[in-house]
Amino acid sequence: DKKGRGGKVVTVVYDLPADRGTFAPLASQLRGRLGTGGTVRDGAMEFQGDHRTKLKAHLESLGYRVKLSGG
């Protein structure tokens, strides 16, 4: 997603079936795994750069069902 971010690409993960208390630790784990910055905002995790395939593989290994969207 680049909308509203000055043309910079951000990978957004949303609709995770987890309570908000687990979002921050999971986002921190994923940021470390990707070696990039990111944040938790409005019930979604945002990571700097295009990391869709890496995130998909890691989330699936944690037992989440993942659907990619966008180009």
Side-chain angles (χ1 to χ4, degrees), residues 40-57:
V40 175
R41 182 180 303 162
D42 299 328
M45 292 183 241
E46 299 178 1
F47 301 96
Q48 297 170 353
D50 183 6
H51 299 286
R52 292 180 300 164
T53 55
K54 292 178 188 176
L55 278 171
K56 181 179 186 290

Side-chain angles (χ1 to χ4, degrees), residues 24-43:
L26 179 58
S28 179
Q29 177 186 10
L30 293 171
R31 280 193 307 266
R33 178 84 175 205
L34 298 172
T36 188
T39 187
V40 175
R41 182 180 303 162
D42 299 328

Side-chain angles (χ1 to χ4, degrees), residues 8 10 12-13 15-16 18 23 29 33 35-38 53 56 58 70:
K8 296 183 180 177
V10 175
V12 181
V13 178
D15 290 340
L16 283 177
F23 265 42
Q29 177 186 10
R33 178 84 175 205
T36 188
T53 55
K56 181 179 186 290
H58 189 64

